[in-house]
Amino acid sequence: MSDDKLNTYTHRPKPYGGGSIFTLGEDRLNILQGPVESEMLYGDIKSITLVYRPRNSTSEGYYATIRNANNHTATVTNLTFRNAMSVDRQDSEYHRFMSALIASAAKANPAVVLQAGLPRWMNILSAISGMAAIGALVMLTFNALIARNFPIAFLMTLLGVYFSWWIWRYVKHNRPQFFKAGEIPPEVMPPVGKSK
């Protein structure tokens, strides 16, 4: 694989509009989003935040926010839209690109803030909201059983199990923490070799 290919990450983060191309230069990140070109010097990057963010039909969505000293942001995700309905995962490419970007930013600016997960209050709120929704599904299941509506009770049980699994993964993966370059928490990075 060529160096140009290794230093470039392309994705289409929305089902409409053009894609985004991120290129790792010698001292800066070059960004092309549609017709708009911009750049961020590695030394000016003040924070990189990695989160677990499932979208649409996939439970394996990952998302990065890069912020520089002027508070300009760029976002990168491992998911790319093929069309309005189909989403592909680019796990290996995203993992490789973000690891290289984080290493370059940390080398140029040792004070860069590397964060993983959601802010603590948001993670707690997600857990509380999820438990409230699960509680509502349990009540609906209970009411359906009392009414002897077994198909609805079965459906509510399936929804409750699936949603419990989903919210547990979401909260667990988005536990707030700081990290060092080279020690990226696996919860906020897709596994290598899972692109499809």
Side-chain angles (χ1 to χ4, degrees), residues 112-192:
V112 66
V113 177
L114 303 175
Q115 301 175 163
L118 298 171
R120 188 169 305 281
W121 69 269
M122 195 179 291
N123 206 36
I124 291 170
L125 185 60
S126 297
I128 292 170
S129 300
M131 286 188 289
I134 292 165
L137 287 170
V138 169
M139 290 301 296
L140 288 171
T141 303
F142 184 69
N143 288 338
L145 287 172
I146 289 174
R148 295 186 171 277
N149 192 338
F150 299 115
I152 295 297
F154 180 71
L155 179 62
M156 291 298 106
T157 300
L158 287 180
L159 285 173
V161 169
Y162 173 78
F163 192 69
S164 297
W165 170 82
W166 192 95
I167 197 67
W168 174 79
R169 276 180 58 89
Y170 185 79
V171 171
K172 176 179 176 277
H173 278 257
N174 281 316
R175 180 174 60 88
Q177 56 188 305
F178 295 96
F179 64 92
K180 297 177 182 177
E183 299 176 5
I184 302 171
E187 297 87 1
V188 291
M189 280 289 257
V192 176

Side-chain angles (χ1 to χ4, degrees), residues 8-140:
T8 301
Y9 182 74
T10 303
H11 73 121
R12 191 174 174 213
K14 298 176 182 177
Y16 50 86
S20 300
I21 302 173
F22 298 86
T23 305
L24 298 173
E26 191 171 320
D27 63 346
R28 69 196 64 207
L29 172 65
N30 297 297
I31 305 164
L32 178 62
Q33 294 176 309
V36 180
E37 290 187 55
S38 60
E39 61 183 31
M40 287 186 182
L41 291 168
Y42 298 137
D44 287 343
I45 295 176
K46 71 175 186 179
S47 70
I48 299 176
T49 303
L50 304 176
V51 297
Y52 171 71
R53 184 180 289 180
R55 285 179 72 175
N56 295 349
S57 60
T58 180
S59 63
E60 296 300 327
Y62 299 85
Y63 192 88
T65 302
I66 306 146
R67 188 180 305 274
N68 72 3
N70 296 322
N71 279 326
H72 293 144
T73 62
T75 58
V76 187
T77 176
N78 72 314
L79 304 178
T80 186
F81 280 87
R82 246 185 305 160
N83 52 51
M85 300 296 292
S86 301
V87 180
D88 288 331
R89 287 168 49 188
Q90 301 183 140
D91 294 354
S92 296
E93 298 88 343
Y94 174 86
H95 193 290
R96 172 191 47 75
F97 178 80
M98 287 308 305
S99 297
L101 173 60
I102 288 167
S104 295
K107 182 178 179 182
N109 177 16
V112 66
V113 177
L114 303 175
Q115 301 175 163
L118 298 171
R120 188 169 305 281
W121 69 269
M122 195 179 291
N123 206 36
I124 291 170
L125 185 60
S126 297
I128 292 170
S129 300
M131 286 188 289
I134 292 165
L137 287 170
V138 169
M139 290 301 296
L140 288 171

